[in-house]
Amino acid sequence: MSERPVHAVVLPAGPPLFDLVRRALHDDGPAIVPLDPDLPAPALRDVLAAVRPTHLVTAEGTRTVPDGVPAGAGTAVVITTSGSTGPPKGVELSAAALSAAAAASLRRLSAGPGERWLCCLPPSHVSGLQVLVRSLLAGSEPLIHPGFSPAAVAAAGADHVSLVPTQLRRLIDHGADLSRFRTVLLGGAAAPPGLLAAARRAGGRVVTTYGMSETCGGCVYDGVPLDGVEVAAGPGDGRIMIRGPVLFTGYRLRPDLTAAARPDGWFRTADLGVVAGGRLRVSGRADDVINTGGRKVTAGAVAGVLAGDPAVREAVVVGRPHPDWGEEVVAVVVPADPAAPPSLPGLRALVKAGLPAYAAPRALMVVDRLPLLPNGKPDIVQIRRDISRFASTAEVS
């Protein structure tokens, strides 16, 4: 079989979708593009235009899509990016790569056959999809929740669960006994040290992960690459480079992007980091670098420092245009206690104690909660819009 039909699947998480994933990995079904059924109509149109499936599967049935393009025989699943920094992209994943990533994960976690995984992340994102793939390899039926409910997750009875930091925080706030899970895989964003400490006090065996759609999800656990995965920091710019059997086949219908992202067999990520003693330390994203007064500030590094303040529950750092500096560093924080939010002078002093003075935020916006993408990550595009819309942000001269 040289080509394979591509079914864009707009179904909620549940057994029908799990069966389609099973068939896609076992080569007796079409390749699938799992999509969030709550996508707004304009966003759905953009995604379909980008990935050009041959069929569209909804609760009403399956219909042929005009001008759809089949995939190569090796493609099992196409994961779409959020499109927050441009048009959506389709990341083509083979059954071999997905299985290699899942098998390496199960080995690293000592997760045995029949142990059950809880899927409370959208299967339209690679983190949710991999929960289903791990279940297939473990020979168990996954517990699939249509969304995230702290009470439902706490009472699920699963052996393993995959979460993003916001979900873990809400689970702890609910008073969940995390010792019920053999493993809490935590990925999608950097985890504040205070959150990890709170999770462990609640009995959690937390394993932090680093990865992305192009690596079939997390491929580095607690800083150590999974078996068969190589990680390096690119010379000169410090871009994280990844090589191994977990890599994506390419960007659907975009050979130009594929060639640029995979020189010499390595995948060149958009993240910055350092590899020392066999461990990877991620410092931030290359596209999150703020140029202020000609000096470069890594937003993720500043956010990590802010998250260490006991008065800060969650923190995001972004750049905002400034007439003199080019950009200024803006901190957006959710306070631990709304009645006693952190102050800008206090946060500036905290950052200056560990980073150069120019990295200290020059503006602060305190919010009740951060806007999130469907995968639980902060919606940076919306945060930037909010910052540009409100002039009431506390500032320093």
Side-chain angles (χ1 to χ4, degrees):
M1 181 173 65
S2 60
E3 291 186 332
R4 196 172 189 182
V6 179
H7 287 204
V9 181
V10 189
L11 293 176
L17 179 58
F18 182 51
D19 187 59
L20 288 171
V21 172
R22 185 199 314 270
R23 293 183 59 205
L25 263 65
H26 290 166
D27 294 327
D28 64 343
I32 64 168
V33 187
L35 297 174
D36 185 347
D38 294 327
L39 268 181
L44 178 59
R45 285 195 298 269
D46 288 346
V47 169
L48 295 179
V51 301
R52 296 180 64 185
T54 59
H55 297 76
L56 179 64
V57 181
T58 66
E60 286 70 44
T62 302
R63 65 176 177 85
T64 302
V65 177
D67 301 320
V69 179
T75 298
V77 177
V78 179
I79 293 293
T80 60
T81 65
S82 65
S84 60
T85 57
K89 296 193 297 287
V91 180
E92 295 188 317
L93 305 175
S94 69
L98 286 163
S99 297
S105 171
L106 294 173
R107 286 195 301 271
R108 178 64 59 85
L109 300 174
S110 299
E115 293 181 2
R116 303 194 74 180
W117 284 80
L118 170 61
C119 181
C120 56
L121 289 163
S124 53
H125 295 273
V126 73
S127 49
L129 173 72
Q130 265 294 12
V131 171
L132 304 183
V133 179
R134 292 187 200 105
S135 296
L136 285 171
L137 266 63
S140 62
E141 288 293 318
L143 295 162
I144 302 176
H145 290 184
F148 178 76
S149 161
V153 169
D159 297 291
H160 310 276
V161 64
S162 183
L163 302 171
V164 297
T166 300
Q167 292 173 325
L168 179 58
R169 169 61 67 188
R170 293 177 183 173
L171 200 57
I172 293 170
D173 289 346
H174 178 72
D177 177 6
L178 299 184
S179 68
R180 295 180 178 181
F181 298 101
R182 286 200 57 220
T183 311
V184 176
L185 275 185
L186 189 66
L195 176 62
L196 295 176
R200 285 161 184 152
R201 286 195 299 271
R205 176 205 176 194
V206 181
V207 176
T208 61
T209 73
Y210 169 76
M212 59 228 43
S213 298
E214 289 88 344
T215 62
C216 292
C219 63
V220 177
Y221 282 16
D222 286 337
V224 180
L226 295 178
D227 294 346
V229 175
E230 298 176 69
V231 177
D237 62 1
R239 289 280 189 104
I240 296 173
M241 310 281 284
I242 300 174
R243 183 166 63 181
V246 302
L247 288 189
F248 70 127
T249 304
Y251 293 112
R252 179 161 166 78
L253 308 177
R254 293 300 305 270
D256 55 329
L257 296 180
T258 303
R262 293 195 57 176
D264 302 324
W266 288 85
F267 168 52
R268 181 178 170 82
T269 76
D271 297 317
L272 305 174
V274 176
V275 180
R279 287 184 174 271
L280 170 67
R281 179 174 59 82
V282 182
S283 55
R285 287 182 59 85
D287 55 6
D288 281 349
V289 172
I290 302 167
N291 193 326
T292 180
R295 293 174 169 177
K296 295 182 178 180
V297 175
T298 303
V302 180
V305 173
L306 297 179
D309 188 325
V312 173
R313 179 184 178 88
E314 295 177 277
V316 168
V317 172
V318 297
R320 180 171 68 174
H322 190 278
D324 299 322
W325 299 96
E327 287 184 287
E328 65 177 348
V329 180
V330 181
V332 181
V333 305
V334 178
D337 179 0
S343 69
L344 181 58
L347 294 180
R348 283 176 56 80
L350 180 66
V351 172
K352 288 180 181 181
L355 296 173
Y358 59 79
R362 300 182 62 84
L364 168 66
M365 186 164 73
V366 177
V367 296
D368 293 334
R369 66 170 50 195
L370 298 174
L372 302 178
L373 296 168
N375 61 0
K377 296 181 183 180
D379 187 341
I380 300 298
V381 172
Q382 184 59 52
I383 289 171
R384 287 197 174 109
R385 289 195 192 112
D386 293 342
I387 288 174
S388 66
R389 189 179 303 128
F390 296 104
S392 58
T393 310
E395 300 186 41
V396 295
S397 60

